[in-house]
Amino acid sequence: MYAAHFNLALTPFSLTPDTRFYVGLPQHEAALAVLNTALAAGEGFIKVTGEVGTGKTLLCRLLLKQAQADWQLAYLPDPSVSPLELRWALAAELGLKYSANIDASQLLQLLQRQLILLAQSGKKIILVIDEAQGLPDDTLESLRLLTNLETEQRKLLQVVLFGQPELDQRLASQQFRQLRQRISFSYVLPVMSPAQIRFYVRHRLQVAGATPALFNSFALLAIGRYSRGIPRLVNLLAHKGLMLAYGEGKSRVTARHIRFAAEDTEDTRRSKRHYVWLLSGAAVFSAACVGWMWR
Ligand SMILES: Nc1ncnc2c1ncn2[C@@H]1O[C@H](COP(=O)(O)OP(=O)(O)OP(=O)(O)O)[C@@H](O)[C@H]1O
Ligand SMILES: [Mg+2]
């Protein structure tokens, strides 16, 4: 909509986790390093958790895109499946054909044979699960049983879990202690610092072919405040800011545009209200202090 007005080749702040816009922030680079190290070491379970909108699906896509020649990847984007459906999903990714006549234990044997064949041809088989906080309890437990498949030398299946903090809460329960002990590598994605937000916005603008000065520095400060460092909220605010500036025929996005954008954005209102509460709390406190001094 505003692309021609701002001379943009691409939309800079779309919500899709598009790897062309990847910004190599230290936290995302560290997560990728953990994943690569753990996968190279043949670890059974690796876990990356982070708040909603912090870039897990983007990392997942980067991992799939940067797959090494000896990796055979199986990707499960929607984990709300039963243990049997999980096995069939993995079987399909490994090239096995569905048959209604095969029961759960026969399927496990077939899977084991296929995993051994692939391992013999020099492949590392990696199951990548996004939104892992949504795995039903019995499916989560059945994953552990799948990673029990191993030769004398190594695991036949490695599992990478990407999930929201609820995944850690569930794994903390007594019921999952066996699975928890098998997760030898994990990483928690932090939110972005104010300096990282500035870098992030400017980098995405550059990829889209815009001048990095399209947002003035007060607009960047406002994005930092309302987004709380969460990349998806940064994208939302920046996109709405561009729309508002375009609507007014302006060539730059200012803090006023971001303020309006925040008022119109669900998850950023709370921080604004929080700010108002803080200010009114401070006012009441100062009034009380002044009153006490004059007693
Ligand atoms: N390092 C980064 N570089 C560029 N864009 C990023 C980066 N991190 C996050 N984003 C962007 O932020 C948005 C949210 O990212 P993503 O969808 O991966 O979050 P998520 O953690 O999977 O969220 P959810 O918990 O809701 O599934 C996407 O538009 C994504 O492209
Ligand atoms: Mg996601």
Side-chain angles (χ1 to χ4, degrees):
M1 180 206 292
Y2 48 67
H5 176 76
F6 294 116
N7 258 332
L8 301 170
L10 300 165
T11 309
F13 298 104
S14 126
L15 294 188
T16 317
D18 181 343
T19 54
R20 285 175 305 174
F21 283 97
Y22 174 63
V23 186
L25 298 169
Q27 52 269 53
H28 292 102
E29 289 290 295
L32 286 172
V34 167
L35 287 166
N36 283 312
T37 309
L39 288 172
E43 296 296 330
F45 270 104
I46 307 141
K47 171 175 67 76
V48 175
T49 48
E51 265 305 334
V52 172
T54 47
K56 300 177 295 294
T57 300
L58 182 70
L59 281 176
C60 197
R61 291 190 181 174
L62 278 170
L63 187 71
L64 299 179
K65 208 168 159 188
Q66 297 171 357
Q68 291 170 21
D70 63 340
W71 291 4
Q72 166 109 18
L73 289 158
Y75 174 52
L76 191 67
D78 173 17
S80 52
V81 291
S82 69
L84 188 62
E85 286 166 340
L86 173 78
R87 280 182 198 175
W88 272 119
L90 176 62
E93 292 277 307
L94 300 183
L96 293 172
K97 286 229 158 58
Y98 176 75
S99 160
N101 306 323
I102 294 175
D103 68 22
S105 65
Q106 285 169 322
L107 177 56
L108 194 61
Q109 281 172 11
L110 273 180
L111 269 176
Q112 182 159 21
R113 236 188 10 236
Q114 186 73 351
L115 287 169
I116 290 172
L117 277 176
L118 287 166
Q120 280 168 350
S121 67
K123 292 280 184 197
K124 266 176 184 290
I125 303 100
I126 303 162
L127 173 61
V128 180
I129 304 186
D130 197 10
E131 307 268 0
Q133 75 282 351
L135 282 162
D137 282 1
D138 49 355
T139 310
L140 200 51
E141 180 56 19
S142 77
L143 261 183
R144 182 181 67 77
L145 300 176
L146 276 176
T147 57
N148 278 349
L149 302 176
E150 54 194 356
T151 63
E152 272 185 32
Q153 292 79 35
R154 68 178 173 106
K155 293 262 172 229
L156 285 171
L157 181 68
Q158 293 176 270
V159 177
V160 180
L161 299 173
F162 288 95
Q164 291 166 3
E166 289 80 355
L167 176 64
D168 283 326
Q169 286 161 17
R170 288 183 57 203
L171 289 172
S173 79
Q174 176 78 352
Q175 175 189 3
F176 292 120
R177 63 191 190 285
Q178 264 184 300
L179 174 56
R180 199 167 60 235
Q181 278 186 6
R182 282 169 167 76
I183 303 176
S184 39
F185 279 79
S186 57
Y187 188 82
V188 180
L189 280 173
V191 297
M192 295 187 283
S193 68
Q196 288 175 346
I197 295 173
R198 284 196 293 279
F199 182 71
Y200 174 92
V201 171
R202 288 185 177 138
H203 183 96
R204 291 192 71 117
L205 285 172
Q206 238 160 20
V207 175
T211 150
L214 191 47
F215 287 69
N216 75 18
S217 39
F218 292 110
L220 291 174
L221 277 176
I223 289 180
R225 171 147 63 89
Y226 292 117
S227 69
R228 309 188 301 278
I230 296 174
R232 184 179 292 128
L233 292 181
V234 171
N235 284 12
L236 261 171
L237 291 168
H239 171 65
K240 287 184 179 178
L242 282 166
M243 277 175 40
L244 288 165
Y246 163 73
E248 291 176 359
K250 296 272 163 47
S251 57
R252 289 186 91 185
V253 180
T254 64
R256 186 176 56 85
H257 296 127
I258 301 302
R259 236 183 0 259
F260 284 139
E263 272 162 24
D264 184 48
T265 306
E266 231 6 85
D267 215 19
T268 54
R269 277 195 219 122
R270 194 155 38 100
S271 56
K272 192 172 174 245
R273 234 183 270 138
H274 178 70
Y275 187 65
V276 171
W277 274 110
L278 271 180
L279 279 180
S280 35
V284 170
F285 180 68
S286 333
C289 287
V290 170
W292 182 79
M293 280 163 59
W294 286 101
R295 260 190 332 160

